[in-house]
Amino acid sequence: MKRNMNILAILVMACLMIPSQASAQKRKTQKRRTAAAQLVTHPQRDADFLSDYKMQPAGDFSLYNYDYDNVVLPAPEFNGHVLKRNMSRKQIKLRQVSCRENDITDDDGWYESNALPRYETIFPDEPNEEIRPRLRYDSDGYSVVTYGPYYAETSIVVIADPELKKVFKAYDFENFKLPPGVKEPCGMPGVGFVKIEGNIMYVSHSSLVDYHGKSSQEQVGYLSAIDLRTDEILWTSQRKTCNSGFDIVGNSIICGYGGTGEADFLYVVDKYSGQRVQTISLWKSAGSIIAKGNRIYVRTYSYDYVFSY
């Protein structure tokens, strides 16, 4: 009798759990639909991406002169402005090959042991608030120099030749720093990593807010594609897509977002639309991301990943 009662109790509990599980699944589905609905897509702009475009010099370059004829860019759409995807353009799909703990401070060893190129150079970060050159990126036959009071807080981007003798263009990203509704931001970066392909400058940027984005309603961690011919922002990714370095393989950008108190992810982003096409969980937030051969090398705070594609 007692055994029968136990079986009956189990059956009753199971019946009670079924609607609860169904409701939970319904809520998850609704949440995904809501998130998808918020991701407004705009018409494709594939014809605006020109791989063979080359800029013409506009004058002489001087490392400590950032006051060129700067193009002041308008604020991006902080809710994201992605384009419709051209599904005929294939994206890479990453597969994890390895994940190993590192020694945290052995960045140089990571570059050397994997024979990886360095895309950036850090200028001396003197303890002052003057606008000075902070970072240099070499990309597609250009050198890109960012300026700001500190290397992690830059808003001026100057495109020069590799010998730093001729200037091509200069941009002011100050309007990228302050999202709508944020009145008292804490100091944080403007421009992060920069790469150029043809007529497109891809830029990672964050708004001028606290690290976790609480005061900015989490309006942080973007990628944007800027047309160097017209100075138009072609697309801006969803928020919390990139606060790392990034690299480009074929039609795809590989980047990462994460940090203390947040989930850490690696993303594959369609470079023609700004849409995420693959999401991979990481143990720690990504820092350097470098493509070599058919491998993607990802350096995080305490783990080194290798992915194939």
Side-chain angles (χ1 to χ4, degrees):
M1 180 69 176
K2 185 175 181 180
R3 182 185 177 194
N4 291 340
M5 289 182 66
N6 288 339
I7 293 172
L8 181 62
I10 291 170
L11 290 172
V12 170
M13 288 296 294
C15 291
L16 290 173
M17 287 177 67
I18 289 172
S20 176
Q21 291 173 346
S23 298
Q25 184 61 42
K26 185 177 180 180
R27 287 193 297 271
K28 288 182 180 178
T29 302
Q30 183 61 41
K31 187 175 181 180
R32 285 197 296 269
R33 287 175 179 170
T34 301
Q38 292 173 346
L39 184 62
V40 178
T41 54
H42 300 263
Q44 293 176 9
R45 300 284 297 270
D46 288 19
D48 289 316
F49 292 75
L50 308 175
S51 60
D52 59 350
Y53 177 79
K54 292 296 180 183
M55 288 187 289
Q56 296 300 313
D60 294 330
F61 175 82
S62 174
L63 185 60
Y64 289 96
N65 172 30
Y66 64 91
D67 191 21
Y68 297 99
D69 187 14
N70 296 336
V71 175
V72 180
L73 290 168
E77 294 186 33
F78 286 95
N79 286 325
H81 177 114
V82 298
L83 308 179
K84 290 184 178 179
R85 288 184 58 205
N86 181 341
M87 301 305 290
S88 69
R89 294 188 183 275
K90 297 187 67 174
Q91 303 294 322
I92 66 170
K93 185 174 181 61
L94 299 183
R95 300 172 182 81
Q96 185 174 315
V97 174
S98 64
C99 173
R100 298 184 178 88
E101 282 194 79
N102 60 43
D103 294 331
I104 299 177
T105 59
D106 61 336
D107 286 11
D108 290 341
W110 177 72
Y111 279 98
E112 292 170 7
S113 63
N114 294 297
L116 298 175
R118 288 181 181 265
Y119 295 126
E120 64 187 55
T121 302
I122 300 177
F123 292 103
D125 197 23
E126 300 174 12
N128 59 54
E129 296 185 359
E130 296 180 18
I131 304 298
R132 291 179 177 270
R134 300 301 175 184
L135 291 165
R136 170 181 171 175
Y137 303 99
D138 294 314
S139 182
D140 202 29
Y142 301 102
S143 284
V144 181
V145 181
T146 63
Y147 292 79
Y150 302 98
Y151 83 91
E153 190 175 327
T154 57
S155 60
I156 302 295
V157 171
V158 179
I159 304 173
D161 69 314
E163 290 75 32
L164 298 183
K165 292 181 178 179
K166 296 294 181 182
V167 64
F168 293 89
K169 265 197 169 179
Y171 289 93
D172 185 337
F173 284 82
E174 188 67 27
N175 291 324
F176 278 50
K177 288 185 175 182
L178 198 61
V182 179
K183 296 180 179 179
E184 298 181 1
C186 303
M188 270 299 291
V191 174
F193 199 74
V194 181
K195 283 187 82 72
I196 294 175
E197 269 200 353
N199 67 310
I200 306 297
M201 178 169 63
Y202 297 95
V203 177
S204 65
H205 54 95
S206 289
S207 47
L208 195 61
V209 294
D210 62 283
Y211 184 73
H212 302 300
K214 303 304 181 186
S215 68
S216 68
Q217 302 171 13
E218 300 191 342
Q219 296 175 107
V220 294
Y222 298 91
L223 281 172
S224 288
I226 297 159
D227 190 335
L228 296 172
R229 303 168 305 160
T230 63
D231 307 321
E232 182 184 2
I233 305 169
L234 296 180
W235 58 254
T236 294
S237 71
Q238 293 171 252
R239 63 186 72 183
K240 302 178 81 169
T241 291
C242 182
N243 61 356
S244 67
F246 61 86
D247 212 341
I248 304 174
V249 176
N251 301 323
S252 306
I253 301 172
I254 304 92
C255 63
Y257 182 87
T260 305
E262 298 197 72
D264 304 308
F265 296 104
L266 190 70
Y267 293 111
V268 177
V269 175
D270 176 4
K271 76 178 185 183
Y272 293 96
S273 71
Q275 289 195 41
R276 301 175 189 167
V277 296
Q278 186 180 4
T279 301
I280 298 172
S281 294
L282 300 176
W283 286 107
K284 295 290 183 179
S285 59
S288 297
I289 299 174
I290 298 175
K292 179 188 172 186
N294 66 337
R295 295 285 191 268
I296 305 295
Y297 295 83
V298 180
R299 173 82 171 178
T300 76
Y301 175 73
S302 54
Y303 292 90
D304 294 334
Y305 289 84
V306 179
F307 295 89
S308 65
Y309 61 90

